């Protein structure tokens, strides 16, 4: 049977539930677990599967999904016995920095506040958790309701990670997509440095490797220097288009493209696909 191509679908669960054609990149999970790195920064060109891979990591690790889900049946990671104890075992924060382009710094902060509020909505139970203290609950409510200030926005994801660790008594996995997008959109504008400072505050606070972090994965197109945006992080592993490890986890290999062409009945189109 020829499986439909998931054109424009970036949600791993939807691809698997709908039986779309999926090129197996699940070995990324076993590689991350075996390497033991605290924070990965993956930079690749657009349309290399970065968002889909983050969605896959969320589906595998997030404790909000049932452990007996079938999304990984028949994939490479299902052969990794050591990986199974980690399956759906951790609280996960999955946040993307898309759609934060703005023509002023104030509008950027407003849009960031709305996105963080939407993120906090997914963890509404923390508002009434007796395991976290009332100060944390108060700060949570301010971000949730969009009534907080700039400094609290920079520490919002770190606050959420701390509260999740305390509530679940488990370390937290942080997945951040398109981290470079706000800085790229603001490049050349008068408020560019202000946005860089906010992003520096967010990333440094949540990825500094404290007791709440199991591991973190951040993705983007551009590799922004450690000194500018990741100061204070000595636990960062930079992986780019020239890296040998994880190189087959992004984009398609020759064999994968050939298999797709054959499944769709056009093996003769392989050379044309390679040229494209």
């Amino acid at each position: 049977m020829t499986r439909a191509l998931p054109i424009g679908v970036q949600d791993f669960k939807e691809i698997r539930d709908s039986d779309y054609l999926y090129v197996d990149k699940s070995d990324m999970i076993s590689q991350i677990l075996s390497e033991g790195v605290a924070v990965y920064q993956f930079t690749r060109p657009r349309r290399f599967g970065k968002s889909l891979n983050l969605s896959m990591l969320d589906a595998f690790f997030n404790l909000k999904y049932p452990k007996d889900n079938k999304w990984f049946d028949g994939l490479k990671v299902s052969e990794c016995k050591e990986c199974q104890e980690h399956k759906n075992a951790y609280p996960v924060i999955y946040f993307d920095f898309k759609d934060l382009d703005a023509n002023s710094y104030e509008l950027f902060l407003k849009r960031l506040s709305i996105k963080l509020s939407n993120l906090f909505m997914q963890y509404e139970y923390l508002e009434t958790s007796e395991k976290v203290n009332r100060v944390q609950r108060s700060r949570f409510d301010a971000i949730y309701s969009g009534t907080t200030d700039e400094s609290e926005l920079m520490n919002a994801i770190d606050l959420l990670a701390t509260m999740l660790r305390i509530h679940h008594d488990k370390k937290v996995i942080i997945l951040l997509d398109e981290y470079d997008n706000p800085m790229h959109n603001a490049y050349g504008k008068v408020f560019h440095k202000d946005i860089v400072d906010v992003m520096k505050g967010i990333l440094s606070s949540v990825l500094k490797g404290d007791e709440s972090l199991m591991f973190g994965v951040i993705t983007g197109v551009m590799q922004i220097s450690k000194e500018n945006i990741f100061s204070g992080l000595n636990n960062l592993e930079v992986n780019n288009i020239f890296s040998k490890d994880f190189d087959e986890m992004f984009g398609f290999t020759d064999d994968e493209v050939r298999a797709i062409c054959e499944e769709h009945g056009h093996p003769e189109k392989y050379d044309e696909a390679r040229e494209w």
Side-chain angles (χ1 to χ4, degrees):
M1 186 179 73
T2 301
R3 294 166 293 175
L5 296 170
I7 306 299
V9 181
Q10 299 186 78
D11 184 75
F12 173 82
K13 301 182 296 300
E14 180 182 350
I15 287 174
R16 298 295 283 168
D17 285 339
S18 302
D19 197 29
Y20 284 119
L21 189 150
Y22 174 67
V23 178
D24 189 357
K25 303 295 182 181
S26 66
D27 197 41
M28 182 180 185
I29 295 167
S30 55
Q31 289 186 47
I32 286 176
L33 290 173
S34 63
E35 299 240 346
V37 172
V39 182
Y40 289 96
Q41 178 195 13
F42 291 108
T43 57
R44 296 292 191 281
R46 299 194 184 282
R47 301 291 175 255
F48 262 62
K50 299 184 298 296
S51 297
L52 180 55
N53 276 349
L54 284 191
S55 177
M56 175 191 66
L57 294 175
D58 176 58
F60 186 86
F61 288 107
N62 202 326
L63 54 69
K64 76 177 182 180
Y65 303 124
K67 272 185 163 298
D68 60 352
N69 68 72
K70 306 297 183 184
W71 298 320
F72 296 90
D73 289 4
L75 300 184
K76 291 176 184 176
V77 72
S78 65
E79 301 169 7
C80 172
K81 293 181 180 179
E82 296 79 10
C83 297
Q84 300 313 306
E85 65 180 280
H86 299 280
K87 188 170 184 284
N88 304 115
Y90 302 95
V92 175
I93 298 174
Y94 182 13
F95 186 76
D96 73 75
F97 290 95
K98 290 181 284 191
D99 307 319
L100 286 174
D101 51 309
N103 55 17
S104 72
Y105 181 56
E106 292 71 24
L107 182 56
F108 164 77
L109 290 179
K110 182 63 176 177
R111 287 183 172 173
L112 177 62
S113 177
I114 292 170
K115 290 205 73 159
L116 287 169
S117 175
N118 291 336
L119 173 68
F120 276 44
M121 285 180 189
Q122 300 174 34
Y123 308 92
E124 197 170 18
Y125 59 89
L126 293 175
E127 260 197 314
T128 56
S129 172
E130 295 182 359
K131 296 180 181 180
V132 298
N133 64 51
R134 63 182 180 83
V135 175
Q136 291 168 326
R137 290 197 298 269
S138 176
R139 291 174 61 199
F140 181 98
D141 183 65
I143 296 164
Y144 188 174
S145 59
T147 58
T148 192
D149 60 20
E150 181 179 337
S151 62
E152 287 291 348
L153 289 178
M154 285 193 279
N155 289 285
I157 300 178
D158 184 49
L159 169 67
L160 182 57
T162 299
M163 294 177 72
L164 284 170
R165 176 186 56 80
I166 294 171
H167 179 84
H168 293 284
D169 194 25
K170 290 176 178 290
K171 290 194 173 186
V172 180
I173 293 171
I174 310 288
L175 307 174
L176 303 177
D177 200 12
E178 297 198 31
Y179 85 98
D180 55 332
N181 191 57
M183 294 170 283
H184 171 70
N185 288 330
Y187 187 75
K189 299 176 182 175
V190 293
F191 51 88
H192 177 254
K193 184 180 182 302
D194 293 326
I195 289 182
V196 170
D197 288 343
V198 170
M199 293 302 300
K200 181 177 180 179
I202 292 173
L203 296 171
S204 295
S205 66
V206 75
L207 299 173
K208 59 182 177 290
D210 63 15
E211 57 183 340
S212 295
L213 186 66
M214 175 67 181
F215 67 83
V217 178
I218 59 177
T219 68
V221 174
M222 299 184 295
Q223 184 176 320
I224 298 174
S225 71
K226 256 185 177 181
E227 292 72 21
N228 286 343
I229 197 74
F230 297 112
S231 63
L233 262 69
N234 53 13
N235 58 350
L236 181 71
E237 179 77 18
V238 177
N239 187 286
N240 58 35
I241 198 73
F242 299 109
S243 301
K244 295 297 184 184
D245 51 333
F246 294 98
D247 59 341
E248 294 187 356
M249 297 299 104
F250 296 90
F252 298 140
T253 66
D254 288 352
D255 290 341
E256 289 165 348
V257 174
R258 195 182 300 278
I260 293 171
C261 291
E262 289 176 354
E263 179 169 332
H264 280 258
H266 291 285
E268 79 283 358
K269 294 290 186 180
Y270 169 77
D271 289 332
E272 183 179 343
R274 183 185 180 90
E275 184 178 347
W276 274 97

